[in-house]
Amino acid sequence: MTDADQVRDQIRDDAVEAALGKLDLDTKTLLLAGRDMWSLPAIPAVGLRSLVMSDGPVGVRGVRWTADDPSIALPSPTSLAAAWDPELARRAGRLLAQEARRKGVHVLLAPTVNLHRSPLGGRHFECYSEDPYLTGAIGGGYVNGVQDGGVGTTVKHFVGNDAETDRFTADSVIAPRPLRELYLAPFEAVVEGAHPWGIMTAYNQVNGTTMTEHRYLVNEVLRGEWGFDGVNVSDWMAARSTRGDILGGMDVAMPGPTTVYGPALAEAVRAGEVPEAAVDDAVRNVLRLAARVGALEGAPAVVETAPAPVDGRALARELAARGFVLVRNEDGALPLDASDGRAVALLGAAARDARVLGGGSATVFPERVVSPLDGLASALPEGALTYAVGADPSEELTPAAQGFELVAVCRDASGAVLGEGGLPTGQVQWIGDDLPAGATYETMASIEVRGTFVPRESGEHAFGTRGLGAFALTVAGRRLWSGVQGTGDEADPFEAFFGAPSERARVTLAEGEPVEVSLTFQVPDMSALPLRAVMFSLLHLGPRRDPDELIAEAVATARAADTAVVVVATTERVESEGFDRSDLALPGRQDDLVRAVAAVNPNTVVVVNAGSPVELPWREDVAAVLLTWFPGQEGGAALADVLLGEVEPGGRLPTTWPARLADAPVTEVVPTDGRLEYGEGLFIGYRAYEKHGVTPAYPFGHGLGYTDWAYESLEATADSVRVRVTNTGSRPGREVVQVYLAPVATASDGARSATVERPASWLAGFASVAAGPGESVETEIPLPARAFEIWDEEARGWRRIGGAYEVRASHAHGDTRLTVTLDIA
C-alpha cells in the first residue's frame, strides 16, 4: 500500500466515524436491515446513499427479474475454475464490475467458494472446485477483478453449505481439522489474498450453531484471525435471532423491510439484551463498505476511475473456450477437418436449445444466446451441417421460451392497466419492489402474461401452469383452462412454495403460424406477509414424438456424415439451486442416442452440456468427449472455435469425474435427524479416490489440448518450484503445470509422520503457461507455507510437519511427469 493509499484509507475511516457519530440508535438499527429485496436505506443527513446488491456469479441481474435490461451471461463458476487461471478470473470480475456500475449496483452477491464435497450437490455448478487451494485461487482472482472496478463482493456461503437438502436448517457436523484444512481454507485464502469487502453467512448450522449466530467462526476466526474488516451479510432470510445474530457478528439482515434488526434490534438494546457497541460495530462495517464503493459523502471511493472497458461478448467467448475440458480424443478426432465436402451431423435437443447457465439465484437474462447449432451453422460452409433432435433430455413442461414473445400486464380490480414489463420467459418472479412501473401490491388485482407464440414444429403442443392461486389460460382465442392450483404433496420445498409444474391443455398448432397466448393470475391479498412476492409461470412443451423414431432419424443423419457431434445435457430439474441430485444419469434417452450414433459413425464426438459430473457409460465407444459445463451466452460460438481448431480447449478438470455414482467416495448429502455428518474427514475428491484406490473416469486436473508437452526439468525449494516444459507439437498451446506434494516416510521421520493422518498427495500450486510449436517455457510456482501444515486440534493452531516430501510436477493428479524429493525442517 502506497502512502497515498494510506492517506485515502484514513480519510475514509474518518468519514465513517463522523457519520456514525451523527446517527441515533433507531437510525443505526434501520441501516442494518434491508430497505427492500436488494438495498439498504439511504441516510441523507450523513450523506449516505442507498447501497444496492445483486446476484452476480455469472452476470449482474440487477434488482429486477426482467430482460428489459439484459445482462452478459458468463460461463458457470465451475467452468471458470476449469481454466485454472486466477488472472482470467480477474478479467471476468472486471467485466462484472463494469456491468454492475452500468446497472447502479454496488455489491455482487458472489463468489461461491463452497467445495464440491459430493457430485450430488445440487449447486455444484455455482462453486469452483473440490480442492480448497484451487478454489481459493480462482475465488481470489474473481474478487480482485470485481473490486478493481470499485464494486464490492460477498464471498459465500460461509461456511459448510455444500449441499442443498434442508439447507435452511441442516447442521453440518465437521471436525476441526477438515473444517480448517478444507472448508474454511478457500475463505481464508480469499480474505487474506484479495481483501473482499463482504462475506455472506450461510443458512445452515455448523457443529450445532446457526452460521448467522456463529460467534467463534465469524468474530474469532473470520475477523480476529484473518483480519476481515468488511460487511457480513446474511443469506436471504437466514437471520432468525435479533440478539444471536448481532452478537454472532452478522452486520446486515436481508432482505427487508421486516427483519430481526431494525426496530427489534433497537428494542433489544434498550432492554439491555444487546450492547449498543455491537450495533456500532456493525454500522461501522456498513459505512466502511459505503465509503469504499463511493456511496458516502466525504469519503473517496477506492476506485474513482473505472478500468478500461471490456468487450463482454468477446470475453464470454474466450472464457467458455478456456473452460472447455477435452477428456477424450482418440486418434486426433478433434479438431475437425472442416475442408469442403466434409459433412457434420449435429444431434441432440441441447444442440438447438443450449443450457447456458444454472438455475436459481444465479439466473440472468442475456440479450442473446449462441447455441451449438447457431455456432456451427455460422462457422461451417453452407450445406456442411445437418441437424436432428435425436433425444430430448426433458419431457416436462418448462417456462415458455423459444418462439414466445411475452409481456406481463398488471391490472387493478376494474381492469385498468397499472403497468407492464417485458418477460424473458413465461416465468414471473417478482419479489419485494420488483414490479413494473405503476404497479403496487395494494392496487394489483390480476397479472396477465400475454403475447405471441410462433411454433417451431407442427403438432400437439402442451400448455400448463406453475404457481399457487387462480388462473385462466387462453391460446389462439380459446379458453383452455381456468381453475385454482393449490399445494400438493411435493417433497421438494421449492415445489411446495412455487407449486409443481402442471399440464392444463393440449392444442394442435402449425409450424410458423403465430398464435396469441394468455395466462391470467389473480393476485391474492399479501398485506399480512413479511415479504411480498408474485411467482408463477406459463409453461409449454412442444409436440411429443416417439423416442425410438427420434433416435432412428439421428442415426440416419449420422450415418450420412463424416463426423457426428452429439450434444447431451442436464436440465433445470436435474441441476439447480434448492435441491440435490439423486443420481448422475443423463435424463431421457440421451445415453441411448449416443450409443446408437457411435455404432454407425466411428467419428462420434460427444459434447457434455452439464454443470456437474454425469455418468458417461459410452465414453470408451466414442472418438472424443468434450465437457462444456454451462458455457454462458457465447457457448455455441466458443464450441465452434474449439471443434474446428480455431482455439484450443483450455480446461482441466476442477473436480474428479467418477465413472459411476457408486465409485464416488462421498455421496451423503441428505441430513439424518437434521445432522449432515462430514464423516469422511479430510478425504473428499481426489484425496478420497487415492485413499480408497478407486480409479475415476477422469482424474482431477485432467484435460487434453491439441498439442503435446514434454516436462524437462524440475527444481524445488521450500518456497517455490521451478518447472521447464516444451511444446513438442505442431500447434501453439497452453499447459497447466500442476504441483502436488506427497509425504515420504523415512527411517528418521517415519514414527513422527505415522502419527499424523494426511492424504497421500495434495495440490500445492499450479501455473498456466503458453508456448508455440517447439518453444520451451519455464515457470516458477510458489509453494505456500500452508502446504506443509496441518491444523493441530489439540493445540488449536497450525503446525508445520517437517520431513521428506516428493514434489510432483504433473499434467493431472496421478499423471506425474517429474519428481524431486524435498526435505522440510
Side-chain angles (χ1 to χ4, degrees):
M1 182 179 291
T2 66
D3 290 343
D5 289 334
Q6 290 179 336
V7 169
R8 289 163 61 83
D9 269 355
Q10 188 60 55
I11 295 172
R12 277 191 291 272
D13 288 344
D14 292 344
V16 165
E17 293 303 321
L20 177 60
K22 297 176 183 177
L23 301 178
D24 60 28
L25 176 62
D26 293 302
T27 305
K28 287 187 290 190
T29 58
L30 282 175
L31 181 57
L32 304 182
R35 179 184 68 175
D36 51 29
M37 188 67 182
W38 303 111
S39 67
L40 296 182
I43 306 177
V46 296
L48 176 67
R49 294 188 291 280
S50 175
L51 286 169
V52 179
M53 309 176 204
S54 171
D55 285 313
V58 301
V60 184
R61 189 172 63 247
V63 299
R64 297 187 59 213
W65 192 271
T66 176
D68 291 346
D69 184 9
S71 309
I72 293 290
L74 299 182
S76 62
T78 299
S79 177
L80 186 62
W84 288 62
D85 189 341
E87 281 305 309
L88 190 68
R90 190 167 192 160
R91 290 173 57 203
R94 286 177 179 153
L95 170 62
L96 295 177
Q98 174 179 294
E99 286 276 279
R101 292 173 78 108
R102 179 177 66 80
K103 294 192 173 195
V105 169
H106 302 103
V107 181
L108 289 188
L109 304 173
T112 305
V113 299
N114 301 111
L115 297 184
H116 296 172
R117 174 177 169 264
S118 167
L120 293 178
R123 214 166 174 177
H124 201 298
F125 59 87
E126 196 179 314
C127 309
Y128 291 124
S129 167
E130 70 186 26
D131 181 78
Y133 183 81
L134 176 60
T135 297
I138 302 302
Y142 178 102
V143 168
N144 278 324
V146 174
Q147 294 182 177
D148 284 347
V151 175
T153 55
T154 55
V155 188
K156 64 184 188 182
H157 307 87
F158 188 72
V159 62
N161 184 184
D162 309 294
E164 293 294 280
T165 305
D166 296 340
R167 61 177 174 157
F168 294 93
T169 57
D171 183 7
S172 299
V173 182
I174 314 172
R177 228 188 119 191
L179 180 60
R180 289 283 187 158
E181 294 183 26
L182 295 179
Y183 303 101
L184 286 173
F187 290 95
E188 180 182 12
V190 174
V191 168
E192 296 188 344
H195 196 60
W197 300 342
I199 289 280
M200 181 188 290
T201 43
Y203 293 117
N204 54 280
Q205 303 174 57
V206 169
N207 298 330
T209 302
T210 302
M211 275 310 305
T212 55
E213 304 171 38
H214 215 303
R215 298 192 203 188
Y216 171 66
L217 289 179
V218 173
N219 290 338
E220 296 185 34
V221 176
L222 175 64
R223 294 198 186 277
E225 293 181 25
W226 303 346
F228 173 69
D229 67 351
V231 167
N232 177 10
V233 181
S234 75
D235 203 341
W236 265 227
M237 303 188 77
R240 297 158 213 175
S241 166
T242 299
R243 183 175 185 274
D245 288 338
I246 195 69
L247 296 182
M250 194 193 76
D251 299 321
V252 173
M254 290 297 290
T258 303
T259 79
V260 297
Y261 285 173
L265 180 54
E267 182 179 341
V269 172
R270 292 188 174 104
E273 299 171 0
V274 171
E276 189 167 356
V279 174
D280 288 346
D281 287 343
V283 173
R284 186 176 288 111
N285 293 330
V286 173
L287 293 172
R288 186 181 298 116
L289 172 63
R292 285 169 167 164
V293 300
L296 180 64
E297 288 181 11
V302 171
V303 177
E304 294 186 301
T305 302
V310 179
D311 183 331
R313 286 187 180 181
L315 182 57
R317 186 169 181 168
E318 178 185 354
L319 289 171
R322 288 285 303 276
F324 289 174
V325 183
L326 182 61
V327 293
R328 178 177 174 85
N329 193 25
E330 290 300 292
D331 302 321
L334 292 180
L336 300 179
D337 181 355
S339 58
D340 289 343
R342 304 288 295 181
V344 176
L346 181 63
L347 312 167
R352 181 181 63 185
D353 300 322
R355 188 173 180 198
V356 300
L357 44 81
S361 61
T363 302
V364 296
F365 307 108
E367 63 179 348
R368 73 170 198 166
V369 169
V370 182
S371 69
L373 181 56
D374 296 331
L376 281 171
S378 296
L380 288 170
E382 187 173 353
L385 184 68
T386 53
Y387 171 73
V389 172
D392 195 325
S394 177
E395 289 297 319
E396 292 188 326
L397 284 81
T398 57
Q402 298 292 336
F404 288 84
E405 291 189 7
L406 302 169
V407 296
V409 182
C410 303
R411 294 186 174 90
D412 65 17
S414 72
V417 174
L418 300 171
E420 69 176 56
L423 290 177
T425 69
Q427 181 178 7
V428 174
Q429 183 165 304
W430 299 334
I431 304 175
D433 293 335
D434 180 10
L435 296 173
T440 68
Y441 290 103
E442 292 76 15
T443 57
M444 274 194 308
S446 68
I447 302 167
E448 181 189 13
V449 174
R450 72 179 186 190
T452 303
F453 172 48
V454 181
R456 294 188 299 190
E457 301 169 273
S458 297
E460 193 175 54
H461 290 252
F463 291 85
T465 62
R466 186 180 191 186
L468 304 180
F471 294 94
L473 173 66
T474 301
V475 176
R478 290 191 336 161
R479 174 70 59 85
L480 298 180
W481 178 79
S482 61
V484 176
Q485 181 170 344
T487 56
D489 57 357
E490 298 88 3
D492 182 270
F494 268 55
E495 280 197 353
F497 187 69
F498 296 119
S502 301
E503 182 177 319
R504 300 304 182 189
R506 298 187 185 186
V507 59
T508 300
L509 301 175
E511 176 185 349
E513 294 187 9
V515 294
E516 298 300 311
V517 296
S518 168
L519 177 66
T520 300
F521 172 72
Q522 301 300 318
V523 178
D525 180 7
M526 290 178 274
S527 58
L529 298 179
L531 180 65
R532 294 178 293 185
V534 175
M535 285 176 276
F536 69 93
S537 298
L538 167 65
L539 305 179
H540 170 258
L541 179 65
R544 296 172 173 91
R545 294 183 56 196
D546 179 76
D548 291 329
E549 181 183 312
L550 288 176
I551 290 175
E553 284 183 3
V555 167
T557 304
R559 186 183 281 115
D562 296 291
T563 300
V565 178
V566 186
V567 182
V568 297
T570 60
T571 70
E572 205 163 306
R573 301 285 284 174
V574 174
E575 288 185 271
S576 183
E577 178 182 351
F579 56 87
D580 292 309
R581 301 163 72 188
S582 58
D583 59 49
L584 301 183
L586 286 167
R589 296 282 301 279
Q590 295 181 103
D591 286 333
D592 293 339
L593 171 65
V594 174
R595 291 189 184 99
V597 169
V600 301
N601 193 320
N603 298 319
T604 295
V605 176
V606 182
V607 176
V608 182
N609 179 196
S612 321
V614 291
E615 292 176 353
L616 310 175
W618 33 257
R619 65 187 183 281
E620 300 294 332
D621 302 324
V622 299
V625 179
L626 181 68
L627 312 180
T628 62
W629 315 106
F630 296 145
Q633 68 175 60
E634 304 298 318
L639 179 64
D641 291 340
V642 167
L643 292 181
L644 300 178
E646 296 298 321
V647 176
E648 184 182 46
R652 305 292 184 266
L653 283 177
T655 199
T656 307
W657 203 280
R660 55 192 185 132
L661 177 60
D663 293 339
V666 181
T667 58
E668 187 58 69
V669 292
V670 177
T672 301
D673 297 327
R675 290 165 58 91
L676 183 58
E677 302 274 357
Y678 285 48
E680 68 282 350
L682 298 170
F683 297 96
I684 66 171
Y686 64 88
R687 305 165 188 238
Y689 282 88
E690 190 168 27
K691 177 183 180 180
H692 297 297
V694 176
T695 301
Y698 305 111
F700 176 79
H702 173 65
L704 307 172
Y706 290 156
T707 189
D708 296 310
W709 296 86
Y711 282 60
E712 297 186 335
S713 64
L714 167 64
E715 300 173 5
T717 70
D719 299 316
S720 66
V721 170
R722 186 175 292 275
V723 183
R724 181 180 178 85
V725 296
T726 297
N727 181 350
T728 59
S730 59
R731 294 173 50 107
R734 182 180 296 274
E735 174 71 335
V736 177
V737 180
Q738 302 163 37
V739 176
Y740 297 87
L741 295 180
V744 179
T746 65
S748 61
D749 69 4
R752 176 181 53 177
S753 298
T755 64
V756 179
E757 183 182 38
R758 288 187 288 177
S761 63
W762 56 89
L763 181 70
F766 63 89
S768 178
V769 299
E775 292 181 354
S776 298
V777 61
E778 190 170 84
T779 182
E780 184 170 5
I781 302 171
L783 287 181
R786 185 60 54 77
F788 302 100
E789 296 176 342
I790 68 162
W791 180 259
D792 189 320
E793 294 186 353
E794 291 185 7
R796 295 171 62 88
W798 293 99
R799 176 160 66 92
R800 188 176 179 86
I801 304 297
Y805 289 83
E806 185 176 76
V807 181
R808 301 171 177 173
S810 304
H811 173 75
H813 185 259
D815 186 356
T816 301
R817 304 298 174 88
L818 296 172
T819 66
V820 66
T821 300
L822 181 65
D823 288 312
I824 298 297

